[in-house]
Amino acid sequence: MKVLGILGSPHKDGGSAQLLFASLKSAEIFGAETEWVSLYDGEIKPCIGCIQDEEPDCKYPCIFEDYGKEILEKIYQAEGIIFATPVYWFAPSGPLKTLIDRMTCLENMVAFGEPSYMEKKVVGVIAVGADAGGELAGGYLITTLTSMGAIVPPWGIAYSHKGKNAVYDDKALLDAINIGILVTEMIFTLKGTPKPLTFRDDRELMQKIRKEVLQIIFQEEKGETRRKGSSI
Amino acid sequence: MKVLGILGSPHKDGGSAQLLFASLKSAEIFGAETEWVSLYDGEIKPCIGCIQDEEPDCKYPCIFEDYGKEILEKIYQAEGIIFATPVYWFAPSGPLKTLIDRMTCLENMVAFGEPSYMEKKVVGVIAVGADAGGELAGGYLITTLTSMGAIVPPWGIAYSHKGKNAVYDDKALLDAINIGILVTEMIFTLKGTPKPLTFRDDRELMQKIRKEVLQIIFQEEKGETRRKGSSI
Amino acid sequence: MKVLGILGSPHKDGGSAQLLFASLKSAEIFGAETEWVSLYDGEIKPCIGCIQDEEPDCKYPCIFEDYGKEILEKIYQAEGIIFATPVYWFAPSGPLKTLIDRMTCLENMVAFGEPSYMEKKVVGVIAVGADAGGELAGGYLITTLTSMGAIVPPWGIAYSHKGKNAVYDDKALLDAINIGILVTEMIFTLKGTPKPLTFRDDRELMQKIRKEVLQIIFQEEKGETRRKGSSI
Amino acid sequence: MKVLGILGSPHKDGGSAQLLFASLKSAEIFGAETEWVSLYDGEIKPCIGCIQDEEPDCKYPCIFEDYGKEILEKIYQAEGIIFATPVYWFAPSGPLKTLIDRMTCLENMVAFGEPSYMEKKVVGVIAVGADAGGELAGGYLITTLTSMGAIVPPWGIAYSHKGKNAVYDDKALLDAINIGILVTEMIFTLKGTPKPLTFRDDRELMQKIRKEVLQIIFQEEKGETRRKGSSI
């Protein structure tokens, strides 16, 4: 079972990275294989809207040969995806919005008699800002992902207004950890091997994961950036 | 398996009613027991925000003895819920927003050491307007319901801009029928008895359901209103 | 010059009341005559969507003889309106949403060859929650009010996540005071008697207004509720 | 008086371009000098969030030397700005979202004791899709622009669901023309030289502008692309 983390932030040690790492850690603990990528590690060309043509050209794989294509492939292969974004003006960052636009090629397979390639992928979203707008950015993402055919588990949105200190925002950290669990649980359920996972307020697990996230972040700050595509 | 339809429109023969009836019809065909209520059939007192008190008072059942309470009970008992609303200024109707506020008592059980009473209920939403805003109203509803602990199946939002003619809006009608199926399928899956249902572009089924919806609507227009709580 | 405050909260001493009173105070200081009403002081019947009929019936005044009608009259007469709402599930409270629905009769005068009765009214919005969603609720309101023909001055949205302690949230309090000023300034400008008002970070004024707001709130808490329609 | 049109679409002959050209045409007729740029004519690097640093670095001009910088300069100089975007997943296109992120440097001058450089610029927004989401994309934009200090005139949002045929969507075309007028009128008013402009349902003017827009679009389709920065 593969869960992909997508970081829409320029900062690999910032609040959205922190909560993303926490949710991936918990997904791992509960049985998922994880991987993460940063949208700022390469160029993602803007979507040019092939979909509007009378003869629809928009299909997977997208025509652009760029870093965006690599990410679309990872999305295609993943069973679960956790999107983490900073809140820029109440919404996902530009690169994440650009990726969403490019994901049209996955969904638009319906125009070619196939199911959406996003169908029944399980998604969670994390949004971290310094002020407000987390739930607006998060709400936007789940509305869009649902409309692509993905499944949002209960409480599939976590947000914090604590910016770089999100990892110390207990409520948000618990929510992020929960997302890792709930995404994993939903994938098990969809596979026909239900495995009810519970976490809720396990403060010990939270402390443990916080510590691990801080270690990763600290390595990032020392410049020991892990290569993209690495597991946590 | 119980699926509840909630009609947030004053018109029992209008567009949101039409698509709601279609989705309930398809839920029935695929194995659900259905029931529907209209929010305009009684008084729903506005939420007075007990939740903000230091000693939280907000818990199920809500303190108000009104029609809203009856609906909250039906929500509590249902496994699946399909909300249908007219689009009034890009959003659900006032009575549906008031019901959402009152549903806080279901979710706020978490403050009393219990799970949210909305947890893992499967929800779909339908929004019909004469102009625009359907996906804004629908996106708002799924963001809120996800945050209460409900599960939105893929493509859990259907909308039409055709107002009273929504039943003739093929795309929207197919989407509404699909919601009935997908909500039902997700409930089976969560019960551990997965039963993959497919519908997609079954035009014959669509015609059949359209015909049945038109019969119901026609009865409504003749004033032979079914009592609230009746099945389709 | 008349500026109307509309309180969409059940609590006359809560956070949205606090910031509303602050913004009305500043509007007064800068030359406006103010008045406020609470939406919880009477019944506001839900809109029944007359607008959808082939022969449009929806026009001002609305057909319902209720408390809502009184408020619609006050809106009709005001040059500026400041809406203050608690954030219930990322959105305005039920009664405020119901009022918005009823305001359709003001806007729908365009269907009768008249301008919208909301045209060029200057509006500001305040949203206060205990968690998040203030800017979602606020953004919804200005989108709707702009679409009715109203004018939103710069920084026309203030929000706080501090709930009952909003009056101690300096940034939000400054924003609310600013709204009073900016609404007033815009009305002067539209009248052709521009009068550039500045406030920004006048901490002394902020302290003064905070003190006055606390006095009003304290009276509310002692039960000395001012009658609706009173000035601050 | 300078009004800048910003096209967030890859298609210079598509629906959002059509309505943008119509609104700029009407702004010209009523006294504005206009110019337009396409966001797809150069590279706009993603914002890297300098604003989150303890020592804020985010100020105008932005550190990136790219096409985005040229556009930020044009925004800085304009008194009115009309944003036109295709609706990609209920929201502005990726490049427009990236520009919004980069506009932080204009607004963040408040952190340096200056007014926001967006303060009192008058803005209108146009959103065109093939399905739905126009008012969601438009509402997002005005919420953000208001929060940057810009002024949205009444009815400052126009949207169409007619995609490439938006120019034949009478209601949307009238709305777009109105935006040109209302932005211009508001600038006059703010300058202290009010000049009430009316248009509303002038069908003759609408036909005239439609014809002119079709001519521009036709030239685009023949490949006679006007250079960026040209007036209509």
Side-chain angles (χ1 to χ4, degrees):
Chain A
M1 179 199 306
K2 272 184 147 174
V3 174
L4 173 68
I6 293 181
L7 179 61
S9 168
H11 304 117
K12 284 175 185 156
D13 58 356
S16 45
Q18 292 162 13
L19 297 192
L20 176 61
F21 297 157
S23 70
L24 293 177
K25 275 284 168 204
S26 79
E28 278 177 18
I29 291 169
F30 289 91
E33 187 188 328
T34 72
E35 183 187 7
W36 70 280
V37 290
S38 162
L39 299 186
Y40 278 78
D41 276 350
E43 191 195 11
I44 304 173
K45 291 205 175 73
C47 169
I48 55 166
C50 307
I51 199 173
Q52 83 148 20
D53 296 332
E54 249 111 271
E55 294 290 324
D57 290 325
C58 179
K59 61 187 299 186
Y60 181 81
C62 177
I63 55 169
F64 287 120
E65 297 287 341
D66 64 353
Y67 180 54
K69 190 174 187 175
E70 288 177 41
I71 294 175
L72 291 171
E73 275 169 22
K74 287 182 191 298
I75 290 174
Y76 176 67
Q77 284 153 13
E79 285 164 282
I81 308 162
I82 299 171
F83 293 85
T85 187
V87 180
Y88 287 170
W89 294 106
F90 318 126
S93 66
L96 181 48
K97 181 57 181 50
T98 296
L99 179 69
I100 293 284
D101 296 354
R102 291 281 297 279
M103 286 170 67
T104 307
C105 70
L106 293 161
E107 187 270 345
N108 199 45
M109 296 312 291
V110 297
F112 298 89
E114 294 198 45
S116 162
Y117 286 5
M118 286 301 292
E119 188 168 306
K120 298 197 178 165
K121 290 187 190 293
V122 183
V123 296
V125 304
I126 291 165
V128 178
D131 179 5
E135 71 300 340
L136 217 169
Y140 166 73
L141 285 169
I142 69 160
T143 300
T144 294
L145 292 161
T146 297
S147 301
M148 288 180 175
I151 294 177
V152 181
W155 294 290
I157 308 173
Y159 51 81
S160 173
H161 301 145
K162 301 287 182 196
K164 288 199 282 198
N165 299 313
V167 76
Y168 297 108
D169 179 345
D170 279 8
K171 185 181 172 305
L173 182 59
L174 285 166
D175 285 350
I177 291 171
N178 233 347
I179 282 180
I181 297 171
L182 289 161
V183 165
T184 305
E185 183 184 5
M186 181 64 84
I187 298 172
F188 279 126
T189 301
L190 294 174
K191 280 175 183 295
T193 53
K195 186 173 157 181
L197 306 176
T198 42
F199 163 67
R200 305 198 193 276
D201 277 356
D202 183 341
R203 298 276 155 165
E204 216 170 300
L205 177 62
M206 182 183 78
Q207 299 299 2
K208 177 179 172 311
I209 288 182
R210 173 146 54 207
K211 211 171 140 191
E212 289 172 356
V213 168
L214 285 167
Q215 278 167 353
I216 301 172
I217 297 301
F218 182 66
Q219 286 172 321
E220 288 296 341
E221 282 172 353
K222 287 199 304 181
E224 297 166 12
T225 308
R226 284 172 316 295
R227 70 184 188 290
K228 71 189 175 204
S230 66
S231 81
I232 290 282
Chain B
M1 179 199 305
K2 273 185 147 171
V3 174
L4 174 67
I6 293 181
L7 178 60
S9 168
H11 304 116
K12 284 175 184 157
D13 58 356
S16 44
Q18 292 162 12
L19 297 193
L20 177 61
F21 297 157
S23 69
L24 293 176
K25 274 284 167 203
S26 79
E28 278 178 17
I29 292 169
F30 289 92
E33 187 188 328
T34 72
E35 184 187 6
W36 70 278
V37 291
S38 162
L39 299 187
Y40 278 79
D41 276 351
E43 191 196 9
I44 304 173
K45 292 206 174 74
C47 170
I48 55 166
C50 307
I51 199 173
Q52 83 148 20
D53 296 333
E54 251 111 87
E55 294 291 322
D57 290 325
C58 179
K59 61 188 300 185
Y60 181 81
C62 177
I63 54 169
F64 287 119
E65 297 287 341
D66 63 353
Y67 180 54
K69 190 175 187 174
E70 287 177 41
I71 295 176
L72 291 171
E73 275 170 22
K74 287 183 190 298
I75 291 174
Y76 176 67
Q77 284 153 14
E79 287 163 281
I81 309 161
I82 299 171
F83 293 84
T85 187
V87 180
Y88 287 171
W89 294 106
F90 318 127
S93 67
L96 181 47
K97 181 56 182 49
T98 295
L99 179 69
I100 293 284
D101 296 355
R102 292 280 298 278
M103 286 170 67
T104 307
C105 70
L106 293 161
E107 188 269 346
N108 199 45
M109 296 312 291
V110 297
F112 298 88
E114 293 197 45
S116 162
Y117 286 4
M118 285 302 291
E119 187 168 308
K120 297 197 178 164
K121 289 187 190 295
V122 182
V123 296
V125 304
I126 291 165
V128 178
D131 179 3
E135 71 300 340
L136 217 169
Y140 167 73
L141 286 170
I142 68 159
T143 299
T144 293
L145 293 162
T146 296
S147 301
M148 288 180 175
I151 295 178
V152 181
W155 294 290
I157 308 172
Y159 51 83
S160 172
H161 301 145
K162 300 288 183 198
K164 290 199 280 198
N165 299 312
V167 77
Y168 297 109
D169 178 346
D170 280 7
K171 186 181 171 305
L173 183 59
L174 285 167
D175 286 349
I177 291 171
N178 232 348
I179 282 180
I181 297 170
L182 288 161
V183 164
T184 305
E185 182 185 4
M186 180 64 83
I187 297 171
F188 279 126
T189 300
L190 294 175
K191 280 176 184 295
T193 53
K195 184 171 156 183
L197 307 176
T198 42
F199 163 65
R200 305 195 194 278
D201 276 356
D202 183 341
R203 299 274 154 166
E204 216 170 299
L205 178 59
M206 182 184 77
Q207 301 298 1
K208 177 180 173 309
I209 288 182
R210 173 147 53 208
K211 212 171 140 191
E212 289 172 356
V213 168
L214 285 167
Q215 279 167 351
I216 301 172
I217 297 302
F218 183 66
Q219 286 172 318
E220 288 296 340
E221 282 172 353
K222 285 198 305 180
E224 299 167 11
T225 307
R226 284 173 313 296
R227 68 184 190 291
K228 71 190 178 207
S230 66
S231 81
I232 290 283
Chain C
M1 179 201 305
K2 274 183 144 175
V3 174
L4 174 68
I6 293 181
L7 179 60
S9 168
H11 304 116
K12 284 175 185 158
D13 58 357
S16 46
Q18 292 162 13
L19 297 192
L20 176 62
F21 297 157
S23 70
L24 292 177
K25 275 284 168 204
S26 78
E28 278 177 18
I29 291 170
F30 289 92
E33 189 188 327
T34 71
E35 185 187 4
W36 71 279
V37 291
S38 162
L39 299 187
Y40 278 78
D41 277 350
E43 191 196 9
I44 304 173
K45 291 205 176 75
C47 170
I48 54 166
C50 308
I51 199 174
Q52 84 147 21
D53 296 333
E54 251 111 271
E55 294 290 322
D57 291 325
C58 179
K59 61 187 299 185
Y60 180 81
C62 176
I63 54 169
F64 287 120
E65 297 286 341
D66 64 352
Y67 179 54
K69 191 176 186 174
E70 287 177 42
I71 294 175
L72 291 171
E73 275 170 23
K74 286 182 191 296
I75 291 173
Y76 176 66
Q77 284 153 13
E79 287 163 280
I81 308 162
I82 299 171
F83 294 85
T85 187
V87 180
Y88 287 170
W89 293 107
F90 318 126
S93 67
L96 181 47
K97 181 55 181 50
T98 295
L99 179 69
I100 293 283
D101 296 355
R102 292 280 297 277
M103 287 171 66
T104 307
C105 70
L106 293 162
E107 188 269 345
N108 199 45
M109 296 311 291
V110 298
F112 298 88
E114 293 197 46
S116 163
Y117 286 5
M118 286 301 291
E119 187 168 309
K120 298 199 179 163
K121 290 187 191 292
V122 182
V123 297
V125 305
I126 290 166
V128 178
D131 178 4
E135 72 301 338
L136 218 169
Y140 166 71
L141 285 169
I142 69 160
T143 299
T144 293
L145 292 162
T146 296
S147 301
M148 288 181 176
I151 295 177
V152 182
W155 293 292
I157 308 172
Y159 51 81
S160 172
H161 301 145
K162 300 288 182 195
K164 291 200 277 198
N165 299 312
V167 76
Y168 297 109
D169 178 345
D170 279 8
K171 186 182 172 304
L173 182 59
L174 284 166
D175 285 350
I177 291 171
N178 233 348
I179 281 180
I181 297 171
L182 288 161
V183 165
T184 306
E185 183 184 5
M186 181 64 85
I187 298 172
F188 278 126
T189 301
L190 293 174
K191 279 176 184 295
T193 53
K195 185 172 157 183
L197 307 176
T198 42
F199 164 67
R200 303 196 193 279
D201 276 357
D202 184 342
R203 299 273 155 168
E204 218 170 296
L205 178 60
M206 182 183 78
Q207 299 298 2
K208 179 181 171 310
I209 288 181
R210 173 145 54 206
K211 213 171 139 189
E212 290 172 356
V213 168
L214 286 168
Q215 279 167 352
I216 301 172
I217 296 302
F218 182 65
Q219 286 172 319
E220 289 295 342
E221 282 173 352
K222 285 199 304 181
E224 297 165 13
T225 307
R226 284 173 312 296
R227 68 185 190 290
K228 73 191 175 206
S230 66
S231 82
I232 290 284
Chain D
M1 178 199 305
K2 273 184 145 172
V3 174
L4 173 68
I6 293 181
L7 179 60
S9 168
H11 304 116
K12 284 174 186 159
D13 58 357
S16 46
Q18 292 163 13
L19 296 193
L20 177 61
F21 297 157
S23 70
L24 292 176
K25 274 285 169 206
S26 79
E28 278 177 19
I29 291 169
F30 289 92
E33 188 188 327
T34 72
E35 185 187 5
W36 70 279
V37 290
S38 162
L39 299 187
Y40 278 78
D41 276 349
E43 191 197 9
I44 304 174
K45 292 204 174 76
C47 169
I48 55 166
C50 307
I51 199 174
Q52 84 146 23
D53 296 333
E54 251 111 273
E55 295 289 323
D57 290 325
C58 178
K59 61 188 299 186
Y60 181 81
C62 176
I63 54 169
F64 286 120
E65 298 287 341
D66 64 353
Y67 179 54
K69 190 175 187 175
E70 286 177 42
I71 294 175
L72 291 172
E73 274 170 23
K74 287 182 190 299
I75 290 174
Y76 176 66
Q77 283 153 13
E79 286 162 282
I81 309 161
I82 299 170
F83 293 85
T85 188
V87 180
Y88 287 171
W89 293 106
F90 318 127
S93 67
L96 181 48
K97 180 56 180 50
T98 295
L99 179 68
I100 292 283
D101 295 355
R102 291 281 297 278
M103 286 170 67
T104 307
C105 69
L106 293 162
E107 188 270 346
N108 199 45
M109 296 311 291
V110 297
F112 298 89
E114 294 197 46
S116 162
Y117 286 5
M118 284 303 290
E119 188 168 307
K120 298 195 178 166
K121 290 186 190 295
V122 182
V123 296
V125 304
I126 291 165
V128 178
D131 178 3
E135 70 302 338
L136 217 169
Y140 167 72
L141 285 170
I142 69 160
T143 300
T144 294
L145 292 162
T146 296
S147 301
M148 288 180 175
I151 295 178
V152 181
W155 294 291
I157 308 172
Y159 50 82
S160 172
H161 301 145
K162 300 288 182 196
K164 290 199 279 198
N165 299 312
V167 77
Y168 297 109
D169 179 345
D170 280 7
K171 187 182 171 304
L173 182 59
L174 284 166
D175 286 349
I177 291 171
N178 234 347
I179 281 181
I181 297 171
L182 287 161
V183 165
T184 306
E185 183 185 4
M186 182 62 85
I187 297 172
F188 278 126
T189 301
L190 293 175
K191 280 176 183 296
T193 53
K195 186 173 157 181
L197 307 176
T198 41
F199 164 66
R200 304 195 193 277
D201 277 358
D202 183 342
R203 298 274 155 168
E204 217 169 299
L205 178 61
M206 183 183 77
Q207 300 298 0
K208 179 182 170 311
I209 288 182
R210 173 145 55 207
K211 212 171 139 190
E212 290 173 355
V213 168
L214 286 168
Q215 279 167 352
I216 301 172
I217 297 302
F218 184 66
Q219 285 173 321
E220 289 295 341
E221 282 172 353
K222 286 198 306 181
E224 297 166 12
T225 307
R226 284 174 313 295
R227 69 186 189 289
K228 73 189 175 207
S230 66
S231 81
I232 290 285

